[in-house]
Amino acid sequence: MEAVSYRRTNCRLCGSSFLTEVLKLEPTPPANAFVSKAQLNQPQPIFPLEVFFCEECFHLQLLDVINPGVLFKNYVYVTGTSKVFVNHFEDYVAFVVGEYGPESGSLVIDIGSNDGTFLKAFSKAGFRVLGVDPACDIVAQANADGIETIAGFFSTDLAGSIRSKFGKASVISANNVFAHIDDLSGVLDGVRDLLVHDGIFVCEVSYLVDVIEQTLFDTIYHEHLAYHSVRPLIPFMKSHGMELIGATRSDTHGGSLRLVAQKAGGARAISSSVGKLVELEKKMGLDTIKTYLEFGKRIERLKVEFWDLLKRKKTEGCSIAAFGAPAKATTLMYHFRIGEDIIDFIVDDSPLKQGLYSPGMHIPVVSSKVMYEKKPDYVVILAWNFAVPIMEKHRAFAESGGQFIVPLPTLEIY
């Protein structure tokens, strides 16, 4: 039987064993391990959430790895429930087509394709598309929606099978999954072998600069094994026959990094954007342990501030609910010790999560109509990166006297 988790002893980018623990958060269950009512009496295992700094290439990462089959085969997050992300992906496709000009009708492959939202935009733009994702139910839905998707984890072996059946790809993407993969070397080798000679690899990841600048510690959870910055990725790409040619920032997920790579020695020039972000990272001290120790101190100050606010409101007799059950909420609730004694219920727009209970804390997840029926005094927006559209959509809640609390990047009451 395959182990549920293991701890690696070297950096997943450069292989160095010179690793230093720089942040220790409260252990949690897997961030998307929602349970049914029938499972409430079953104990959920928790795993260490400790962050390590590589002193050779400066990569920040988790070393405790949960079996990806446990994390992703019964995944409950779907991209298409967020209009914000649907629009973002449509703009993203326009960027790829406009900037890099892949041949019309050529193959586009998305690693970690989820419900196929990204590929739908490529399909509309006239490309052949293929998804790869391990979440069986979501894959079945994507196929039913007309987006051909393979159920499985991308690897060099799977890349070979795809190449034999579908041919090579002009574009391979891996959005919000490049941080989820322990064997990044194997995946990048598969990508290189599956690209046409002038093809590109594009991905978006949460950007370490934004995590540190805005104290976005709740983006640290077991699915996110890597906390990416540009500087360590340049030699990593090079060691696998790839070349980083573009790196730009976007505001998705509180701050993301869009990376573009080609095969080493490709015709495209390296954008000045790469060097500019490397300089920014140096200026911020992402290559020093001190930066991360100070990050930890800021988290603890925020914890005290947030805890004091919620306890004061409960003491005053106020009722408190939450909005959004993203993976990041598990880290925030565990590290700030906010459980069912504080939060009565969690609203989430995803039908896949409604009727379930939050990981470990076992707070019920319900539809937004419950918020209007029970009328809590305060609603903490755990999906803080969507705070503005959530508050706009539920203006009626505020107009009826309810107030929203946004915990990050700064604690605010609306």
Side-chain angles (χ1 to χ4, degrees):
M1 182 176 174
E2 196 171 359
V4 174
S5 69
Y6 59 92
R7 173 170 278 207
R8 64 180 298 140
T9 57
N10 65 334
C11 173
R12 60 177 51 82
L13 291 192
C14 74
S16 171
S17 58
F18 291 102
L19 299 161
T20 300
E21 181 186 295
V22 291
L23 180 64
K24 188 170 187 174
L25 298 173
E26 287 294 319
T28 75
N32 276 305
F34 293 83
V35 298
S36 66
K37 192 171 185 177
Q39 297 171 309
L40 287 176
N41 292 326
Q42 299 174 17
Q44 284 188 271
I46 60 173
F47 301 90
L49 202 50
E50 299 162 3
V51 184
F52 288 80
F53 173 75
C54 175
E55 297 190 43
E56 296 225 351
C57 77
F58 315 128
H59 181 50
L60 200 69
Q61 60 205 291
L62 303 185
L63 297 183
D64 291 281
V65 182
I66 301 178
N67 184 322
V70 172
L71 293 179
F72 300 114
K73 286 197 172 176
N74 297 301
Y75 211 48
V76 292
Y77 172 79
V78 286
T79 307
T81 57
S82 168
K83 181 63 175 171
V84 172
F85 262 100
V86 173
N87 293 339
H88 171 70
F89 279 149
E90 288 174 351
D91 292 342
Y92 188 167
V93 169
F95 161 81
V96 171
V97 174
E99 290 289 323
Y100 299 98
E103 185 179 343
S104 181
S106 62
L107 179 63
V108 175
I109 296 171
D110 190 22
I111 300 168
S113 53
N114 198 258
D115 62 0
T117 297
F118 190 51
L119 290 177
K120 284 176 185 175
F122 268 110
S123 181
K124 287 178 185 176
F127 293 87
R128 293 186 296 128
V129 299
L130 178 68
V132 179
D133 198 283
C136 301
D137 290 346
I138 295 175
V139 166
Q141 186 59 54
N143 278 305
D145 289 343
I147 301 298
E148 185 167 2
T149 307
I150 297 169
F153 291 100
F154 186 84
S155 63
T156 50
D157 289 343
L158 183 55
S161 299
I162 291 172
R163 189 171 62 246
S164 298
K165 184 176 180 181
F166 297 93
K168 291 191 173 185
S170 63
V171 177
I172 299 177
S173 56
N175 298 309
N176 305 307
V177 295
F178 205 57
H180 296 188
I181 301 163
D182 188 32
D183 182 18
L184 280 175
S185 293
V187 167
L188 200 57
D189 287 342
V191 166
R192 182 196 63 234
D193 294 344
L194 196 48
L195 279 175
V196 297
H197 73 283
D198 61 346
I200 59 165
F201 171 61
V202 296
C203 70
E204 285 191 343
V205 295
S206 175
Y207 192 20
L208 182 58
V209 164
D210 294 292
V211 172
I212 299 300
E213 273 186 342
Q214 302 182 64
T215 322
L216 307 184
F217 77 95
D218 60 342
T219 59
I220 299 170
Y221 47 88
H222 297 105
E223 289 173 20
H224 289 171
L225 295 169
Y227 301 89
H228 286 300
S229 54
V230 175
R231 192 176 176 190
L233 286 169
I234 294 172
F236 174 68
M237 294 269 188
K238 186 176 181 181
S239 70
H240 292 279
M242 297 288 287
E243 183 176 45
L244 190 63
I245 59 172
T248 53
R249 300 175 72 175
S250 76
D251 59 5
T252 56
H253 288 299
S256 292
L257 175 65
R258 181 179 295 173
L259 301 163
V260 184
Q262 65 181 357
K263 290 186 177 182
R268 297 181 180 91
I270 298 174
S271 167
S272 61
S273 62
V274 175
K276 286 177 181 176
L277 289 187
V278 168
E279 288 307 309
L280 171 64
E281 292 165 8
K282 289 179 181 178
K283 186 178 179 181
M284 282 191 61
L286 297 190
D287 53 358
T288 64
I289 290 174
K290 178 184 175 184
T291 297
Y292 304 105
L293 297 180
E294 290 175 349
F295 176 59
K297 291 176 183 175
R298 293 203 310 274
I299 294 169
E300 292 310 302
R301 289 196 294 269
L302 184 60
K303 176 179 181 177
V304 171
E305 184 183 5
F306 191 40
W307 174 255
D308 286 350
L309 171 66
L310 296 188
K311 287 297 287 184
R312 188 169 71 250
K313 296 302 178 186
K314 291 299 283 189
T315 302
E316 292 170 359
C318 298
S319 55
I320 304 174
F323 201 113
K328 61 170 68 79
T330 301
T331 298
L332 189 147
M333 295 176 80
Y334 264 81
H335 196 67
F336 284 2
R337 296 176 185 167
I338 302 165
E340 57 186 343
D341 57 328
I342 300 287
I343 303 293
D344 298 332
F345 58 86
I346 302 172
V347 174
D348 197 274
D349 289 331
S350 171
L352 292 178
K353 295 179 183 178
Q354 292 167 9
L356 299 178
Y357 295 79
S358 68
M361 298 289 189
H362 295 169
I363 299 169
V365 181
V366 300
S367 70
S368 59
K369 70 177 184 180
V370 176
M371 183 173 71
Y372 290 95
E373 291 169 357
K374 297 199 173 181
K375 298 180 180 178
D377 298 299
Y378 292 90
V379 170
V380 178
I381 301 183
L382 298 173
W384 47 260
N385 49 316
F386 296 124
V388 172
I390 286 171
M391 288 189 289
E392 287 178 351
K393 184 177 180 180
H394 296 283
R395 191 173 295 162
F397 170 75
E399 289 172 349
S400 66
Q403 296 187 71
F404 290 105
I405 299 173
V406 181
L408 294 171
T410 55
L411 183 58
E412 305 277 0
I413 299 178
Y414 295 90

